Structures are given as C-alpha cells and as structure tokens.
Amino acid sequence: MAALIETVGLQKTFGRIRAVDGISLSVEKGEVLGFLGPNGAGKSTTMKMITGFLEPDAGTARICGFDVLTNPKAAKSRLGYVPEGAPAYADMTPASFLSFIAEIRGYDGNDGRTRVTAAVAKAGLGGVLDQRIETLSKGFKRRVGIAQAILHDPQVLIMDEPTDGLDPNQKHHIRELIREMAAHKAIIVSTHILEEVEAVCTRAVVIDKGRIVADGTAEDLLRRAPNHGAVAVRVARDKAEALMKAMSALSSVIRVETADGADGTVHLRALPKGTAAPLEQVAELVRREQISVTEIYVERGKLDDVFRDITTSVQA
Amino acid sequence: MRDFLKTSAIIARREFAAYFSTPLAAVFITIFVAATGAFAFFIGGFFERGQANLESFFIYHPWLYLFLVPAVAMRLWAEERKTGTIELLMTLPISPAEAIVGKFAAAWAFVGVALMLTFPMWITVNVLGSPDNGVILASYLGSFLVAGAFLAVGAFISALTKNQVIAFILSATACFLLVTSGMDIVQNTFRVWTPRIVSDAISSMSVLSHYDEITRGVVSLGSIVFFVSLIAFALFANAIAVTQKKSA
C-alpha cells in the first residue's frame, strides 16, 4: 500500500532564501512523525506545502495518493490540518465554527451534528461550546483547532506545533489525543519540544536549513548522543581512583570520565567502545572488587544534545 | 456547478453572520440610513424641490459608498491574513473561487440589507405624491450595482494586504477614481496629452455616468454589462491575489 503522506523533492524559495530545499518524505498509516528543527528551519513552510496552502517551487506532495497540486479537493478532503497557533474565526462560538466546518466538508443535518458532537467530545470542548472563541483560553482555542481538524476523521493529520505555549496538563491532553488516534492515521507533528518526540512519535525527522539531516526513531537519534550507552557509577571518593583504573581496563570501555559529586561521591562514566552499553562487565567488576556503589545505571543520552549537535554542525 | 453554489453559499452565510456578530453591522446600517436621508433632505433639498421623486436621495449614494463600502470590504481578506484563518480556509476542500464568490456575495447582501432599510424614503415620497416607482426601482438597482462594483474592487485590494487601514485607503482611492473618471477634472488632465480615444475610454469607465443613466430610469444593457464585467474583473483579480499572495 502506498504511503498516506508522500512528498517528493519539495522546494520553496522566499526572495533569496531557500526555505525548503528538497524534502522527500513518506509517512505510513500508524506512524506519528515528529518534525523537528530549529526555528526557521522550514518546518512550517514544508507543512504548508503538504497541506496545499503554499505552492512549492518544485516537487509535490500527495495525500492518500492524491496530488495536492493537481487534485487539491480530493487531497484536502482527506486531510486535517492544525496551522500554527490553531487560528479560528474569533467572533464565532466553537459550536457555530464547527458546524460551519462540518457543512463545508459536506456533512449536512444530522450527519453534521453527529460529527460535531464526536469532535467536541474527543477534544473536550463540552463546557465552552457557546462562548465566543476570542474569549477562550489558549488551551481551549487549541482544542477548537484540533476539533476542526479531526471532525471528518481524516486519514492524514498535520499539526504545526500543537502543544506550543500550553501548560503541562494541556500538553498532556493533546498528546493523549494524538496517541489515541495514531493507529488509524498518518500524523505529522512539528515541535521543538524534544520530550514530545519520545512521548508520542514513532519516528523523528530533523530538518535544518530546509534539508533533512536526520530521520529515524527517537532511539536512533539518541544513539548519536555522545554519552549514549555509557554506564554511570557513583562511588565514595576514596574508592574512585581504583575503580576508574579497573573500568578503563575493561575491553568494552573506551574511556572513563569522572566528575565530582556534591556529596563526597564521584561520578564515573564508562563510555562504550561499540554501541552496546558495557553494563554487565562494569557490574561484574563492581561485584568482584566488592566496591559499594550508590548508583549504577545506563545513560541514554539527551535528545537536546543530539539536536544541538546535528543542527549546528554546519555553522561550526 | 451545484457544488460550487452550495459551497459558496455556506461561506457566504458564515461571512454574513460575521458582520452581525460585531458592532460593524449596527454602525454601518445606522450611518448609511441616516446619511442617505440627511443628504437627501438637507443637501439635496428633498422638500424644497417640490417633486415626487427620489433623485435627491439617490444622487449622493456613490459618494457615500466611497467611504462606507471600503469599510465593509477591507476586512474580507486582510483580516483572514492577519489572524491566520486564511490558512484554515484555503486548506479546506474548497476552491479559491468558491471562497471569493461566497465572501463577495455576503458583503454585497449586507450592503443590500442596509439599502433596503432606506425604504421609509420610498414610503415618504409615495405618501407625499405619486412618483414613478419604476424609476425608483431602477435607481435602487443602480445603487446596488455601484455598491457591488466598489465591493469587488475593495475585496481585491483587501486580498493584497493584511493591514485593514491600508486596504481601506487604497479602496477608497480606487473607488474615487471610478466615480470621477468621467468628470472634467479627470478628463482635462488626460485630454491635453492623450489622443481622444484614451480620454473617451477613461470616461466610459465612469461609474457615475452609468449610474446617472440608470437613476433616470434607463436600464440599458450597456450599463448592466459595464457593472457586471467590472465586478467579474475585480473578482478575477481577487482570485489571483489570493492564490499568489498567500505566502507573504
């Protein structure tokens, strides 16, 4: 089966700036693709081209096999889109706004009412249906934008920074919603909150200066972290020296870093030679030498570090 | 075709309701009705003329529209651009033409409502005498067409900017040129340095001369074609502006 979202060499230039420079992607049903990149990397521009709002200078995008340029109505009717900031007509109420969207999408009468009710329930808009959208809190405004995008239960959902500027509870709610829908749709979520990628995405694509610089699972990205797979051990200061020497001698360890802890302990970090964490060997060593350690764990690395690493390497 | 009309109607209905969900509707209608009446009575000398017709009422409509219609048209696209809802609208499964026609129809209907609410003038003149109601009907049609032409031009200009004030000023200026293009002040500046055909062409673009004809009761095909094609041309330009300027 063909991918639900497919882009082929998307390109867009504003003035002299090439905002998007040949982005090719495909997203299958069941995938939640986290779209990452620094501000100005071209995330929003790419999404605007996928949704058919902007016309690319070169390349195209297909939604469920329908080209957004040559068959825009078919493509757009299978697509739900939450633009950045989830804009909605401020002088309408969520109820009137959603029934307008239902009508435009071709649901009349009862059918439309059922759709609106379902979207309202999913997005949790029950209490504010008759308040003007401009008087709603940021969290509710965002939910209106999401309700609008899922009203027709589209196969493809594209959301531009859906959790940006929300409080932790609101973020949680939106992530839950994405997770619930994930199995039946192809979803693209742009974000610059990296924890979000681990929380909801099955795959992460990092772009920088309009090009894809990384594409894989969150785990794949983490593997690029400098301290990924390192085994960290915390011991009393007097034991540190000996343990460090012993750890350095292990075949699976390439190097040991130390850092003084605040409470009279030392933090030792054994970096792996290959990709596998040398946990067993380190544990074995600790047991054999009967060193009492207060902590021992495998470090996964931080997405932040990886992100900074791959998106700044060009300038550096 | 049926789909086109249906989608445009849905958009028009939303847009029409939007006028009434803000004080804009009340302000516009009040000012329009009061101003057309005031002009007819105090400047047009409705009573002093001692004639049972609405000439003194209709004669000022194009001038009032000059600043009232751009006020209605300025928000049509500029506001969508400013608030970002254009991104929502243009990613719905509709064509730009459907959106343009729907929005324009809503604005035109809104001005139509304001125009209809001047009916007390018509009652007054019928109570006081026995006017030619055919001429009055034709005049209402003419007035409505002028409003439509200004609205279409205003909608096009609104699509060029996200700043409503700029949209207002530019549309008012454009409408002013449409009104005055047949007048001596404009004609003289062209006659001195262009061949006759150019000044004639400019003169034939005058909304005022076609409007005068209609308000005298002469609804010629030429005038109807003039207004309809002016509206169609402006909406076509509107479509180009909407599809081209989305990115900015």
Side-chain angles (χ1 to χ4, degrees):
Chain A
M1 202 195 76
L4 293 183
I5 308 171
E6 216 183 338
T7 78
V8 191
L10 283 178
Q11 226 175 70
K12 185 81 191 174
T13 309
F14 295 121
R16 276 183 303 166
I17 299 156
R18 165 108 359 135
V20 173
D21 192 4
I23 298 240
S24 298
L25 274 177
S26 68
V27 188
E28 317 253 337
K29 183 173 169 179
E31 273 192 301
V32 179
L33 186 142
F35 208 35
L36 303 170
N39 287 329
K43 298 189 297 276
S44 290
T45 308
T46 304
M47 295 180 124
K48 284 174 187 177
M49 288 192 283
I50 298 174
T51 55
F53 178 66
L54 277 187
E55 216 168 278
D57 296 335
T60 190
R62 280 186 284 272
I63 305 287
C64 304
F66 294 99
D67 193 303
V68 291
L69 296 176
T70 56
N71 203 347
K73 275 197 184 184
K76 286 172 182 176
S77 62
R78 286 163 179 81
L79 162 84
Y81 177 38
V82 184
E84 193 172 354
Y89 294 109
D91 49 26
M92 299 180 94
T93 64
S96 58
F97 176 63
L98 292 175
S99 40
F100 164 67
I101 299 288
E103 270 187 277
I104 283 276
R105 292 204 177 269
Y107 303 110
D108 297 326
N110 266 331
D111 204 9
R113 271 189 292 277
T114 323
R115 291 274 172 182
V116 171
T117 314
V120 163
K122 261 195 198 152
L125 279 172
V128 298
L129 273 184
D130 297 313
Q131 249 170 282
R132 284 159 75 99
I133 292 174
E134 63 190 350
T135 67
L136 297 178
S137 70
K138 214 170 186 177
F140 274 119
K141 274 185 195 161
R142 203 62 58 87
R143 291 188 203 189
V144 172
I146 291 173
Q148 160 278 124
I150 60 175
L151 185 122
H152 53 304
D153 195 19
Q155 285 183 274
V156 171
L157 195 56
I158 293 179
M159 298 192 250
D160 198 352
E161 298 190 358
T163 61
D164 185 48
L166 299 185
D167 72 35
N169 294 336
Q170 295 168 329
K171 281 183 187 162
H172 178 76
H173 176 257
I174 286 175
R175 285 177 199 157
E176 283 294 303
L177 201 61
I178 296 173
R179 257 198 297 264
E180 276 166 35
M181 298 185 294
H184 314 286
K185 301 185 194 309
I187 303 179
I188 297 184
V189 184
S190 82
T191 180
H192 43 231
I193 310 166
L194 295 155
E195 53 182 279
E196 202 150 282
V197 178
E198 293 191 84
V200 296
C201 301
T202 59
R203 181 178 154 200
V205 166
V206 185
I207 69 166
D208 189 33
K209 297 189 175 62
R211 289 165 176 277
I212 295 178
V213 290
D215 182 350
T217 61
E219 199 57 37
D220 291 337
L221 284 184
L222 280 174
R223 216 163 279 149
R224 296 175 167 212
N227 57 339
H228 179 80
V231 173
V233 182
R234 191 182 289 279
V235 288
R237 186 159 294 146
D238 54 334
K239 302 272 173 52
E241 187 80 12
L243 183 58
M244 187 189 135
K245 285 214 171 96
M247 272 163 57
S248 304
L250 291 172
S251 62
S252 56
V253 173
I254 192 163
R255 176 160 61 85
V256 179
E257 291 172 354
T258 61
D260 278 330
D263 50 353
T265 60
V266 172
H267 195 97
L268 296 174
R269 174 189 282 164
L271 296 156
K273 197 165 262 170
T275 50
L279 178 63
E280 266 178 50
Q281 281 192 301
V282 173
E284 157 77 29
L285 174 74
V286 167
R287 232 174 298 140
R288 198 176 48 211
E289 304 286 321
Q290 299 196 330
I291 302 170
S292 72
V293 299
T294 49
E295 247 185 297
I296 178 163
Y297 60 90
V298 179
E299 290 189 357
R300 300 183 60 222
K302 279 204 209 128
L303 272 178
D304 286 57
D305 296 334
V306 181
F307 181 78
R308 208 165 328 122
D309 207 39
I310 50 188
T311 58
T312 52
S313 55
V314 188
Q315 291 117 303
Chain B
M1 190 63 196
R2 212 186 71 84
D3 273 358
F4 186 97
L5 291 179
K6 195 177 163 201
T7 309
S8 297
I10 295 167
I11 291 174
R13 226 175 316 138
R14 194 210 74 75
E15 200 72 34
F16 189 76
Y19 282 110
F20 288 92
S21 70
T22 64
L24 177 74
V27 170
F28 180 87
I29 291 174
T30 310
I31 298 289
F32 180 77
V33 173
T36 47
F39 271 84
F41 288 115
F42 300 119
I43 302 173
F46 177 73
F47 288 119
E48 290 81 352
R49 293 155 60 99
Q51 293 170 5
N53 63 38
L54 286 179
E55 210 186 304
S56 60
F57 167 69
F58 282 110
I59 197 166
Y60 298 107
H61 282 198
W63 302 98
L64 281 168
Y65 286 148
L66 267 189
F67 66 94
L68 285 177
V69 167
V72 173
M74 67 180 186
R75 53 169 288 284
L76 281 176
W77 293 98
E79 193 178 34
E80 298 255 6
R81 294 259 307 271
K82 181 102 183 168
T83 59
T85 47
I86 189 160
E87 207 167 328
L88 186 86
L89 187 67
M90 297 321 251
T91 52
L92 289 171
I94 59 170
S95 67
E98 286 163 339
I100 285 159
V101 169
K103 275 172 165 286
F104 170 73
W108 206 9
F110 174 68
V111 177
V113 168
L115 191 57
M116 272 196 277
L117 288 174
T118 62
F119 71 91
M121 288 300 298
W122 174 71
I123 293 175
T124 308
V125 79
N126 270 283
V127 168
L128 295 176
S130 46
D132 184 340
N133 281 317
V135 171
I136 291 177
L137 191 66
S139 302
Y140 267 114
L141 173 72
S143 175
F144 189 54
L145 285 172
V146 172
F150 286 6
L151 271 175
V153 170
F156 159 58
I157 290 168
S158 171
L160 295 175
T161 173
K162 61 173 84 169
N163 186 322
Q164 296 197 31
V165 176
I166 293 177
F168 176 84
I169 294 172
L170 290 181
S171 328
T173 309
C175 295
F176 180 75
L177 292 177
L178 281 176
V179 169
T180 56
S181 65
M183 298 175 115
D184 283 344
I185 183 168
V186 173
Q187 283 291 302
N188 287 341
T189 50
F190 284 97
R191 268 192 207 122
V192 287
W193 57 276
T194 57
R196 182 66 191 235
I197 185 159
V198 173
S199 57
D200 280 355
I202 291 170
S203 167
S204 72
M205 288 296 291
S206 169
V207 164
L208 214 51
S209 46
H210 291 282
Y211 178 66
D212 280 346
E213 219 179 280
I214 296 177
T215 50
R216 267 184 278 116
V218 187
V219 184
S220 70
L221 183 67
S223 294
I224 301 291
V225 168
F226 167 77
F227 282 113
V228 170
S229 47
L230 184 57
I231 290 169
F233 178 74
L235 292 185
F236 180 68
N238 192 350
I240 293 172
V242 166
T243 41
Q244 291 302 309
K245 291 257 325 180
K246 278 186 303 197
S247 46

